[in-house]
Every structure is written in structure tokens, then in C-alpha cells.
Amino acid sequence: MRRAMTNRAPGRRAGRSLLLTSGLAIALAAVAVPFYWLVVGATHSSRELFTSPPPLLPGGHLAENLATLQDTAHFGRVVLNSLGIAGVYTLLAGTVCTLAGYGFATYRFRGRETLFGLLMLGLVVPTQITLVPLFRMMAELQWLGTYQAVITPNLALPFGIFLMRQSMAALPKELLDSGRMDGCGELRLFLRVALPPMRPALAALAIFLFLYQWNDFVWPLIVLRDELTFTIPVALASLQGLDETDYGAILAGTSVAAVPMAVVFLLLQRHFVSGLLAGAVKE
């Protein structure tokens, strides 16, 4: 009887492994096929994309589509705009979120939990509610049409503060106390003691902030006025015409837009998962 049960166990494990592998293969196909079609579509003209059956192999119109992007949307300048805005936003917002998370995690002050709870309400407030107040604020500051109008409103991002606060809560309090007893100032304590163990969380935060700003469409569409200041999502949306739309050029631009996101993720992927798990530590 025991021998029969022992023989069945490997068969069950093999069946579960096959089922898991099949599920992962289906999920991979569901994710990879749209990206493959995106790259293939970028190499075809708009007319070829609507043939039946649609093309499944790369074509020869990639250079033409990129030239159309440059002529109609100044795409080289647009890519630099997006890289600059996303890079500066990641640096500034990462600094703000890290400092705020450190403060909430390590300092004890009256109303700390209430203030943090109010901050977390920002996670459930729809972005559309804040568009009108933010627009009026930018108009009063005379920032409409400028890069700072795109960058500054969301520097204190609630999710980023939450992630860093939960990560900083895992720091041993004794380590910070010993640094203070040795005469270490608060800024030096933050830079030399608190930050080095937070590299995985900082990598996860950097990926999230970069992708958040890189893919943002509604707010840049509202505040940017000149096409030379457009970001990639706004520039691609401007290519959609009422009578005719060059979908080959749009797909080419979308393919180019996906490259920096992939590069950022590949550079920081080693720390990404561990950084997200670090945010699950309870205080």
C-alpha cells in the first residue's frame, strides 16, 4: 500500500509541474504577443496593417515611419523631453518620498499616525478630482507650458512614501540610536546608516516613479502648450487625425517609447522584487 502511494506521488508532482508550466506559457504568450505585434507593426505602413490577414513578419517601412514621426511630431526632441522630465522627476520624487518615509518610520511625534492616514487617503482619491485645482495653481504661478508644471505636482507621491516608510520601519532602532550616541548628525545618519540597506527599496521606488512619469498622459496634455515641449504620450496622441491616422508611425513611436522602460527595468530588476517585499515588513 505504501509502495503504491509512493509511486503515485511523483506522478502527482509531474502533473502539477506540467499544469504550472502550461499556465506560465499561456501567461507569457498573452504578454509577449502584443509586444511582438507592436514591433512588427512599427515596420509596416498604415495601409499594410489593415490587410487581411494582417502581417506577422517584419516589413521594410521602419525608417519611413521614424522619418514621419520626426517630420510631424519632432520626435527626437520629444524623446529628450520625456527622458529629462522622467529623470528629474525620479530624482526629486525619490528624494521627497525617501525623506518622508524615513521621518514617518523613525521619528515619534504627536499626530504621526493621523497624518500618515491622511496621506494614505491620496491612494484612493481619483486623479481627475485634483486636475482643476492643480491647473489653477499652475496658472497662478504662471507655470503653464513649462516642464516644472509637469514635474512638481506629484513629487510627494503617497505610494512612494508608503513604500519607503514600510521599508525604513525594518531598520533596527538600536542601529540608529548607536549612531546618535556616537555623535552622528541626523543628515549623516540618514545618508550613511539608513540609506545603504535600502538599496532594493530605492531601486523599486525608482522603477515605479520613472514608469509613472514616463507613461503619464492626462496631466502633460493639460499643462503643455507647445509641441516642442510635448512628452511621448502627448506627441503620439497628436498624430491621431480626424480623417486619416498613420498607425505605422504611431506604432513606431510606441516601440521607441518602450525601450527606456525596458532598460530601466533590466538595470534594476535584481533589486525590484526584494524591494517590494521589503515594503511588506510590519512595524
Side-chain angles (χ1 to χ4, degrees):
M1 185 68 175
R2 292 181 179 177
R3 186 176 299 176
M5 294 178 63
T6 304
N7 292 334
R8 290 177 184 175
R12 291 179 180 178
R13 287 195 294 266
R16 292 175 182 175
S17 178
L18 179 60
L19 182 62
L20 179 60
T21 303
S22 301
L24 291 176
I26 294 173
L28 177 61
V31 173
V33 168
F35 281 100
Y36 175 77
W37 168 246
L38 173 66
V39 175
V40 170
T43 63
H44 288 274
S45 64
S46 184
R47 180 177 300 177
E48 292 175 347
L49 292 174
F50 289 95
T51 57
S52 183
L56 298 178
L57 297 177
H61 293 272
L62 178 60
E64 179 182 343
N65 291 334
L66 292 177
T68 301
L69 279 175
Q70 181 61 29
D71 294 338
T72 58
H74 308 283
F75 202 67
R77 173 66 180 270
V78 167
V79 172
L80 292 179
N81 291 340
S82 289
L83 287 173
I85 291 174
V88 172
Y89 174 79
T90 301
L91 179 62
L92 296 180
T95 302
V96 171
C97 293
T98 304
L99 288 172
Y102 177 76
F104 278 117
T106 59
Y107 294 112
R108 299 293 185 270
F109 53 89
R110 182 177 299 178
R112 184 187 69 156
E113 297 301 327
T114 302
L115 183 60
F116 185 73
L118 292 174
L119 181 66
M120 289 301 99
L121 287 178
L123 292 173
V124 299
V125 175
T127 305
Q128 292 78 4
I129 295 179
T130 64
L131 293 180
V132 174
L134 284 177
F135 180 83
R136 295 187 61 181
M137 187 183 300
M138 295 301 108
E140 292 178 0
L141 293 173
Q142 298 182 354
W143 281 5
L144 292 179
T146 63
Y147 296 132
Q148 58 263 35
V150 181
I151 295 173
T152 54
N154 292 311
L155 290 181
L157 202 64
F159 176 78
I161 297 175
F162 172 78
L163 175 64
M164 296 311 300
R165 187 252 191 184
Q166 296 301 100
S167 300
M168 293 287 186
L171 286 174
K173 301 300 184 293
E174 296 79 7
L175 183 63
L176 300 177
D177 293 337
S178 63
R180 294 188 179 99
M181 292 179 62
D182 291 338
C184 187
E186 291 299 321
L187 181 59
R188 186 178 179 183
L189 187 70
F190 172 73
L191 295 176
R192 298 292 181 88
V193 179
L195 276 189
M198 293 296 106
R199 289 178 182 176
L202 290 172
L205 179 66
I207 292 175
F208 176 80
L209 293 175
F210 186 88
L211 297 185
Y212 174 83
Q213 185 61 61
W214 183 265
N215 293 323
D216 193 16
F217 170 69
V218 175
W219 182 241
L221 177 65
I222 293 174
V223 296
L224 295 179
R225 305 297 179 83
D226 188 356
E227 62 181 9
L228 292 178
T229 64
F230 282 174
T231 58
I232 291 178
V234 179
L236 293 180
S238 68
L239 296 178
Q240 296 182 355
L242 296 177
D243 298 330
E244 184 178 357
T245 300
D246 193 341
Y247 289 101
I250 292 178
L251 291 178
T254 307
S255 300
V256 173
V259 173
M261 293 189 293
V263 171
V264 170
F265 182 79
L266 290 176
L267 289 177
L268 301 176
Q269 65 174 338
R270 293 188 303 170
H271 305 294
F272 182 65
V273 175
S274 56
L276 290 181
L277 292 177
V281 178
K282 293 185 178 180
E283 186 175 3

